[in-house]
């Protein structure tokens, strides 16, 4: 086959980074006797020719050569090549075809079609790979049995043979998964496969992990048919699996070189490290259990039962993965998560620092609902301080330092002052201070201690250097949230430096901070005023908002606001008009016209401003815009319900929409984030209760 390699016009094709002319060299390198050369070639193939799962025509054109390499027992690393073939086929199927193998409604890119057609033509080869003498090749090939064998009887037979021949837990789990994939892809195989899975799940002669896999994969095939007995059975098998599998310590993360401190902001480096952690899987059953949770989807109570068992697994890797899955459930689905929060909080133990760090991370992420875990977090920090002293924030043991910092951040986001000593230690020592800055704004009770330290950090930032704007912006946001006017001089200095060095993002952040201080920022009026004509798209509206907050001079502010309404900053101007209210009546004609704008993120803030300025007479038009926007784009819901809340009894026509919103099982609101959704639910319930209450309603308010 390799004799045909140079007869293909690779230069006429492209991969993720341009011409595919390098593909022949990569294919040759995959059979090199040098391990490093093979590794680099495989990484480059994944990075360019199969970039993030993409399948290009050059990817499809590579398949015959990859097959030849994988089939030749003299080729090193054959398992890696079989895994590559399966990955190309899986991505082609998932991105270009429905579950039953038919093409998706829109025409899939040709690379996907070509690749899947070729792999299905060679489906029998994966059955041969699955009987290979190399166990790694067999393991890599299993997924192909469900993806590429189109003969239902033949595929089912091979899978039965596979489950009988393999004794390793990973191979057996993959075989059962491949059977479910086959049942979903080939309807003719569905009946016999699902019956086989049911028999396998009920067979006491099988090991509990295989039985659990069969139970889960059958649920995956028919999630609408999951009965009340499925979750209790799964919990029992999960418990038995935990007893049967060996307990292994959590494998350490691969050591990666630290980026130079002057080459990248610490926040960015930390985000990449976090992404690296979140892509790791620590237990052999994790992928299987994720499949089960996906099949259960909105059944929060049943999923909590499963997670409660996972969280008490004797295997630390299983516990760590379970903590992470618990966070994903609480962030994605609504419901009463008190029990799950407490179970996650139970993982805050000094004997299990890595799992504890993950538990604290979940509690920080879920801070809008994490109050039940408050005392567990405080107790965990107390134990760490007692055992390691007051400087544990900067402990040399990285795992201890990480778990402590995560718990401090979680407690701080709950507004608990017991987090303050560690935050002060961070700011005083400058060890990972940026992590303390990110949560300091949640503790206004400690502003007298935090503000001087934050201001000192802000003064030390050199805005002429690269990678400093993220740190400056975070400090400015924290100072604005703390609201102590003592911070104004530091913010003004930062604003001057940002303007001088043309750091537009920092300029905007400083202006927002000054706006938060209101009249206390009057000393900065001259600088603010000069920025109201700035050319930067974000600086100008921020300057106008700060000008109004500091001076509250309507004569000076209104012409600037009206100009913004005629510019690209309509939403910013409308939000400020909400704050000004009835005195801004000069904006009414323009706001009424903007209700017909073709973008809902313009219509909604303009409708809110129209209500605040015009009041009851504008209510019908405002309601029409708000309700239509929320129905068409649920991401606007937070802004919509905030205005409905201010409209009082005039919001009554929106009651059905609000009830429908609360009935949704999945989190909603802007970005579908837990904080926006919890706010959305709270305000929606407040509005509904007020409108349904028989007591006389208070007059509609037009103020914020």
């Amino acid at each position: 086959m390799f004799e045909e390699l140079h007869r293909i016009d690779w230069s006429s094709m492209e991969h993720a980074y341009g011409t595919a002319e390098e593909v022949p060299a990569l294919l040759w390198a995959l059979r090199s006797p040098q391990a490093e050369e093979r590794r680099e070639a495989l990484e480059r193939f994944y990075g360019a020719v199969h970039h993030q799962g993409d399948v290009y025509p050059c990817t499809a054109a590579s398949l015959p050569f990859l097959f030849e390499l994988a089939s030749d027992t003299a080729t090193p690393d054959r398992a890696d090549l079989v895994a590559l073939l399966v990955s190309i086929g899986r991505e082609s199927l998932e991105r270009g075809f429905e579950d039953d193998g038919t093409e998706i409604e829109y025409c899939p890119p040709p690379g996907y079609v070509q690749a899947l057609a070729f792999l299905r033509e060679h489906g029998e080869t994966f059955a041969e790979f699955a009987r290979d003498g190399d166990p790694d090749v067999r393991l890599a090939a299993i997924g192909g049995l469900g993806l590429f064998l189109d003969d239902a009887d033949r595929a089912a037979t091979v899978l039965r043979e596979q489950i009988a021949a393999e004794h390793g837990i990973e191979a057996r789990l993959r075989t059962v998964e491949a059977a479910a994939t086959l049942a979903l892809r080939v309807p003719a195989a569905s009946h016999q496969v699902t019956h086989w899975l049911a028999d396998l799940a009920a067979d006491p002669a099988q090991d509990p992990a295989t039985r659990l896999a069969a139970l889960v994969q059958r649920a995956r095939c028919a999630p609408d048919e999951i009965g009340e007995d499925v979750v209790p059975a799964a919990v029992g098998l999960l418990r038995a699996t935990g007893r049967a599998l060996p307990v292994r310590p959590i494998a350490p993360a691969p050591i990666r070189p630290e980026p130079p401190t002057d080459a990248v902001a610490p926040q960015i480096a930390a985000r990449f490290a976090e992404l690296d952690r979140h892509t790791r899987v620590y237990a052999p059953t994790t992928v299987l259990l994720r499949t089960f949770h996906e099949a259960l989807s909105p059944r929060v109570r049943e999923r909590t039962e499963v997670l409660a068992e996972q969280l008490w697994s004797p295997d630390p890797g299983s516990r760590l993965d379970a903590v992470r899955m618990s966070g994903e459930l609480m962030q994605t689905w609504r419901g009463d998560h008190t029990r799950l929060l407490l179970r996650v909080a139970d993982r805050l133990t000094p004997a299990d620092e890595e799992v504890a760090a993950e538990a604290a991370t979940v509690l920080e992420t879920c801070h809008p609902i994490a109050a039940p875990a408050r005392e567990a977090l405080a107790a965990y920090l107390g134990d760490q301080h007692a055992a390691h002293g007051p400087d544990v924030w900067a402990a040399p043991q990285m795992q201890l330092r990480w778990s402590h910092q995560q718990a401090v951040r979680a407690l701080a986001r709950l507004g608990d002052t017991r987090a303050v000593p560690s935050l002060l230690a961070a700011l005083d020592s400058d060890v990972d201070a940026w992590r303390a800055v990110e949560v300091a704004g949640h503790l206004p009770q400690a502003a007298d201690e935090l503000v001087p330290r934050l201001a000192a950090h802000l003064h030390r930032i050199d805005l002429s250097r690269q990678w400093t704007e993220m740190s400056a912006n975070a400090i400015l946001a924290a100072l604005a949230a703390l609201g102590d006017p003592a911070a104004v001089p530091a913010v003004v200095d930062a604003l001057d430096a940002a303007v001088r060095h043309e750091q537009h993002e920092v300029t905007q952040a400083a202006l927002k901070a000054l706006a938060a201080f209101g009249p206390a920022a009057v000393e900065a009026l001259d600088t603010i005023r000069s920025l109201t004509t700035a050319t930067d798209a974000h600086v100008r509206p921020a300057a106008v908002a700060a000008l109004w907050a500091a001076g509250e001079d309507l004569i000076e502010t209104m012409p600037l606001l009206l100009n913004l309404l005629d510019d690209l900053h309509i939403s910013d101007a409308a939000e400020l008009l909400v704050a000004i209210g009835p005195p801004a009546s000069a904006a009414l004609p323009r706001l009424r016209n903007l209700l017909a704008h073709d973008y809902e993120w313009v219509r909604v803030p303009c409708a809110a401003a129209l209500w605040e300025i015009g009041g009851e007479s504008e209510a019908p038009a405002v309601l029409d815009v708000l309700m239509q926007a929320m129905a068409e784009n649920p991401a606007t819901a937070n802004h919509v319900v905030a205005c409905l809340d201010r409209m009082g009894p005039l919001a009554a026509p929106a009651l059905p929409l609000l009830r429908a919103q609360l009935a949704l099982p999945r989190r909603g609101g802007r970005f579908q984030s837990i904080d926006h959704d919890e706010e959305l639910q709270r305000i929606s319930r407040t509005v509904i209760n007020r409108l349904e209450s028989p007591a006389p309603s208070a007059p509609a308010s037009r103020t914020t």
Side-chain angles (χ1 to χ4, degrees):
M1 191 69 229
F2 267 67
E3 295 176 1
E4 305 294 324
L5 187 60
H6 293 288
R7 296 181 183 177
I8 295 175
D9 185 6
W10 298 98
S11 64
S12 67
M13 294 180 278
E14 292 186 345
H15 57 44
Y17 299 105
T19 178
E21 288 176 305
E22 68 174 313
V23 171
L26 294 177
L27 293 169
W28 277 110
L30 289 172
R31 67 191 310 170
S32 168
Q34 303 298 322
E36 183 62 18
E37 186 178 357
R38 296 195 304 273
R39 184 191 65 79
E40 290 179 357
L42 188 64
E43 287 185 358
R44 178 61 180 174
F45 199 100
Y46 270 107
V49 189
H50 189 35
H51 175 70
Q52 297 183 352
D54 287 339
V55 178
Y56 309 93
C58 68
T59 321
S62 303
L63 292 175
F65 308 102
L66 292 173
F67 260 105
E68 179 170 333
L69 289 171
S71 301
D72 185 353
T73 56
T75 301
D77 306 329
R78 293 171 58 229
D80 290 338
L81 300 178
V82 174
L84 175 58
L85 288 167
V86 171
S87 176
I88 292 170
R90 179 179 290 112
E91 294 293 340
S92 296
L93 188 61
E94 290 181 355
R95 300 190 189 197
F97 298 82
E98 304 290 354
D99 287 343
D100 61 3
T102 59
E103 289 189 11
I104 52 180
E105 289 185 6
Y106 68 87
C107 181
Y112 297 118
V113 177
Q114 296 163 9
L116 192 58
F118 182 89
L119 289 165
R120 283 178 170 170
E121 288 174 10
H122 294 76
E124 186 61 33
T125 306
F126 286 91
E128 297 172 10
F129 286 147
R131 292 191 295 267
D132 196 271
D134 184 336
D136 291 333
V137 171
R138 295 201 304 272
L139 183 65
I142 291 171
L145 301 178
L147 292 167
F148 311 129
L149 279 172
D150 288 333
D151 185 328
D153 293 333
R154 170 65 176 148
T157 299
V158 173
L159 289 165
R160 284 193 176 92
E161 292 172 353
Q162 198 74 21
I163 205 74
E166 294 288 357
H167 300 289
I169 178 65
E170 190 172 359
R172 292 173 73 81
L173 295 185
R174 287 196 192 186
T175 301
V176 177
E177 179 187 7
T181 300
L182 174 69
L184 289 168
R185 185 176 64 85
V186 183
S190 178
H191 182 75
Q192 60 174 315
V193 168
T194 53
H195 275 74
W196 176 56
L197 292 175
D199 292 342
L200 203 60
D203 185 356
Q206 299 291 336
D207 64 274
T210 301
R211 294 179 61 194
L212 176 64
L215 183 76
V216 168
Q217 297 296 347
R218 190 177 188 282
R220 173 190 167 204
C221 291
D224 294 337
E225 299 175 14
I226 297 176
E228 294 182 359
D229 59 332
V230 171
V231 169
V235 169
L237 290 170
L238 184 57
R239 187 173 301 145
T241 298
R243 293 193 298 263
L245 294 180
V247 174
R248 299 174 295 184
I250 295 174
I255 298 175
R256 304 192 187 280
E258 290 287 333
T261 55
D262 59 347
V264 64
Q267 298 93 323
I268 294 177
R271 296 298 178 261
F272 275 104
E274 183 180 339
L275 181 63
D276 194 31
R277 284 192 300 274
H278 277 259
T279 56
R280 296 183 67 205
V281 174
Y282 296 88
T285 55
T286 295
V287 174
L288 172 68
L289 291 168
R290 282 191 181 281
T291 299
F292 194 35
H293 285 289
E294 289 170 6
L296 291 170
S297 275
R299 304 184 189 194
V300 171
R301 182 182 61 79
E302 290 92 336
R303 291 179 66 180
T304 300
E305 292 291 330
V306 177
L307 284 166
E309 186 62 38
Q310 291 178 245
L311 287 164
W312 284 104
S313 169
D315 178 60
S318 297
R319 293 196 297 272
L320 196 154
D321 286 337
V323 168
R324 187 171 297 157
M325 281 189 263
S326 298
E328 291 165 0
L329 171 64
M330 292 186 286
Q331 291 172 62
T332 306
W333 299 97
R334 295 170 171 174
D336 183 357
H337 295 300
T338 303
R339 181 189 176 199
L340 191 53
L341 284 164
L342 293 174
R343 287 297 182 101
V344 170
D346 286 339
R347 298 296 93 207
L348 294 167
T349 60
D352 213 357
E353 295 286 6
E354 193 158 359
V355 177
E358 194 65 39
T361 301
V362 165
L363 294 173
E364 181 192 358
T365 305
C366 297
H367 68 90
I369 61 171
R374 180 192 300 270
E375 295 308 316
L377 283 164
Y380 179 60
L381 293 181
D383 290 342
Q384 288 185 319
H385 280 296
H388 304 285
D391 297 325
V392 62
W393 175 279
Q397 304 95 326
M398 292 308 298
Q399 197 56 60
L400 171 62
R401 179 194 293 194
W402 175 249
S403 64
H404 179 78
Q405 290 182 2
Q406 290 301 96
V408 170
R409 286 166 59 92
L411 196 61
R413 287 195 189 276
L414 291 172
D416 195 305
T417 55
R418 286 173 286 188
V420 171
S422 288
L423 296 182
L424 298 180
L427 295 171
D428 289 341
S429 68
D430 206 18
V431 174
D432 297 332
W434 66 271
R435 307 196 77 241
V437 169
E438 288 186 340
V439 298
H442 292 267
L443 291 159
Q445 318 95 300
D448 58 332
E449 294 181 281
L450 291 168
V451 167
R453 290 170 168 86
L454 291 169
H457 275 268
L458 187 60
H459 277 302
R460 290 198 293 271
I461 293 176
D462 182 358
L463 290 176
S464 68
R465 297 178 57 196
Q466 195 176 23
W467 307 115
T468 55
E469 68 274 8
M470 290 185 69
S471 296
N473 291 348
I475 296 174
L476 289 164
L479 291 172
L482 292 172
D484 187 345
V488 170
V491 176
V492 172
D493 289 345
L495 176 61
D496 291 338
V499 172
R500 189 166 60 253
H501 295 293
E502 297 184 351
Q503 291 271 22
H504 299 308
E505 287 188 18
V506 181
T507 301
Q508 180 190 10
L511 288 167
K512 286 185 175 180
L514 291 173
F517 295 121
V522 66
E523 67 181 82
L525 267 177
D526 288 343
T527 303
I528 293 171
R529 190 174 287 115
S530 69
L531 293 170
T532 59
T533 57
T535 57
D536 183 79
H538 302 290
V539 168
R540 189 161 70 256
V544 174
L547 182 68
W548 166 255
E552 294 189 354
D553 185 337
L554 194 64
I555 295 175
E556 183 178 18
T557 305
M558 275 307 297
L560 297 170
L561 271 175
L562 294 175
N563 286 338
L564 290 178
L565 284 176
D566 290 325
D567 203 341
L568 300 175
H569 312 288
I570 300 171
S571 299
D572 297 302
E575 289 174 7
L576 182 52
L577 288 167
V578 168
I580 296 174
S585 58
L588 284 173
R590 179 68 175 138
L591 289 171
R592 293 186 187 111
N593 290 336
L594 286 169
L595 294 190
H597 199 280
D598 57 1
Y599 189 33
E600 65 273 13
W601 286 109
V602 169
R603 296 196 303 272
V604 168
C606 286
L610 190 60
W611 161 256
E612 294 298 335
I613 298 170
E616 186 172 345
S617 63
E618 307 290 346
V622 168
L623 271 177
D624 183 57
V625 167
L626 295 179
M627 293 168 61
Q628 184 179 25
M630 186 168 164
E632 293 177 355
N633 184 356
T636 64
N638 290 89
H639 294 76
V640 170
V641 298
C643 186
L644 293 174
D645 186 28
R646 297 192 296 268
M647 293 181 73
L650 294 176
L655 267 174
L657 187 63
L658 293 173
R659 293 193 192 101
Q661 169 59 233
L662 286 181
L664 297 174
R666 187 181 286 271
R667 293 201 180 276
R670 196 162 193 192
F671 308 122
Q672 295 183 305
S673 63
I674 187 170
D675 49 348
H676 284 118
D677 182 67
E678 287 296 315
E679 177 190 64
L680 172 61
Q681 292 186 70
R682 177 182 58 80
I683 297 177
S684 295
R685 291 192 182 98
T686 297
V687 175
I688 291 172
N689 290 338
R690 182 192 304 130
L691 293 174
E692 291 180 339
S693 172
S697 300
S701 170
R702 296 191 302 183
T703 66
T704 58

